[in-house]
Amino acid sequence: WKLFRMPPSEIRSIRPHVRLRLEFREVARKVANRIIGPVYNSLHIRFPDVDGTNKRLGWLSPNEDFVRRMIVDGYFTKTDLVYVATKQVARNHVFFSIFREKGFRLVFSDEILDAPEVRQFLSRYPVVMSETILGLIEQLICSRAELFLGTGYSTFSMYIRFHREQRLQILDSSLISGSFADIELNDNITEVAKEFQTAIASTASYQNPELRKELSVLTKMTPCDKPMQVC
């Protein structure tokens, strides 16, 4: 957004209307539901870059602080399944030992990279873009979680919090065949929710679970206005 050189007030008014393309949201939904699970929480852990650019105070809290927020403060209790968005090489980092010791089951990007949906999707783009495209998918996966806890003032975490507040940003409207084009142009969550309710009432029962799940993703209230807030 900085590249557009617009006043913050204009950015705030425009940003809710800018979404990732529908195919990003579709693959994120499929991966979240099939690979990770119907109910999961999510973390974004940003480790320091090589040049140390995220060593600003408060960017990455000690792992004990994350666990305290997840357990002692009573947030991550609905499920022990947690998707972790972080550097691919960090899966076995000692930082995550305490999470496993406390009983959390951690899922990392290398596990979703094995999904046919992800491999096929990434093949559409140049190899040099793979990490960026995967990061966008991970943002949506974290945004769909029951609860999310991010890293301080990380831009990546900021966008996840924004998506979680603006639920239309993560909606996969392709589930409603034939009418999703109209839904994509509709910024009224209440009206879009009614479209899903109508589809659920008129669709074969075996298709209803996916529609119901997407309706719950759309209507979940998740205020996320603070950088280190569990939301």
Side-chain angles (χ1 to χ4, degrees), residues 3 14 20 23 43 46 50 91 124 164 168 175 185:
L3 297 177
I14 293 173
L20 284 168
E23 53 261 36
L43 292 173
R46 180 184 172 185
V50 174
R91 176 190 179 106
R124 303 179 189 179
R164 289 178 66 77
L168 289 171
L175 287 167
L185 299 175

Side-chain angles (χ1 to χ4, degrees), residues 10-186:
E10 291 186 13
I11 293 176
R12 285 193 297 270
S13 63
I14 293 173
R15 192 165 57 179
H17 306 285
V18 179
R19 310 174 194 173
L20 284 168
R21 290 173 60 88
L22 179 58
E23 53 261 36
F24 279 86
R25 289 173 270 145
E26 182 178 8
V27 73
R29 173 186 63 81
K30 290 179 178 179
V31 169
N33 293 349
R34 188 176 72 82
I35 306 299
I36 303 174
V39 180
Y40 64 95
N41 296 315
S42 62
L43 292 173
H44 169 230
I45 306 297
R46 180 184 172 185
F47 289 101
D49 295 327
V50 174
D51 62 358
T53 52
N54 82 330
K55 290 184 178 179
R56 172 178 171 181
L57 181 63
W59 273 50
L60 181 60
S61 299
N63 49 9
E64 293 89 350
D65 284 357
F66 278 93
V67 172
R68 176 185 57 78
R69 289 170 178 269
M70 294 162 67
I71 297 179
V72 179
D73 291 350
Y75 287 111
F76 282 32
T77 56
K78 189 173 182 179
T79 176
D80 60 1
L81 186 59
V82 181
Y83 183 79
V84 183
T86 190
K87 290 181 177 181
Q88 292 185 40
V89 297
R91 176 190 179 106
N92 296 316
H93 196 286
V94 67
F95 184 91
F96 296 110
S97 298
I98 189 172
F99 296 90
R100 296 185 176 98
E101 291 169 2
K102 296 297 183 180
F104 288 107
R105 293 179 291 146
L106 306 182
V107 179
F108 294 85
S109 63
D110 58 341
E111 295 179 56
I112 69 170
L113 278 170
D114 291 333
E117 300 95 329
V118 175
R119 290 201 305 268
Q120 182 180 8
F121 190 76
L122 291 177
S123 69
R124 303 179 189 179
Y125 300 90
V127 174
V128 295
M129 294 181 63
S130 295
E131 186 174 352
T132 298
I133 299 300
L134 178 62
L136 294 173
I137 295 173
E138 286 192 283
Q139 282 186 357
L140 293 171
I141 289 173
C142 289
S143 300
R144 297 176 63 87
E146 289 291 313
L147 291 170
F148 169 70
L149 178 58
T151 299
Y153 294 91
S154 163
T155 303
F156 192 94
S157 289
M158 178 194 72
Y159 273 106
I160 293 171
R161 292 195 301 272
F162 174 74
H163 290 328
R164 289 178 66 77
E165 285 192 320
Q166 304 289 332
R167 307 301 289 185
L168 289 171
Q169 299 278 340
I170 60 179
L171 180 71
D172 177 13
S173 56
S174 69
L175 287 167
I176 305 182
S177 59
S179 61
F180 68 85
D182 293 334
I183 292 177
E184 285 292 290
L185 299 175
N186 194 336

Side-chain angles (χ1 to χ4, degrees), residues 1 16 90 145:
W1 288 104

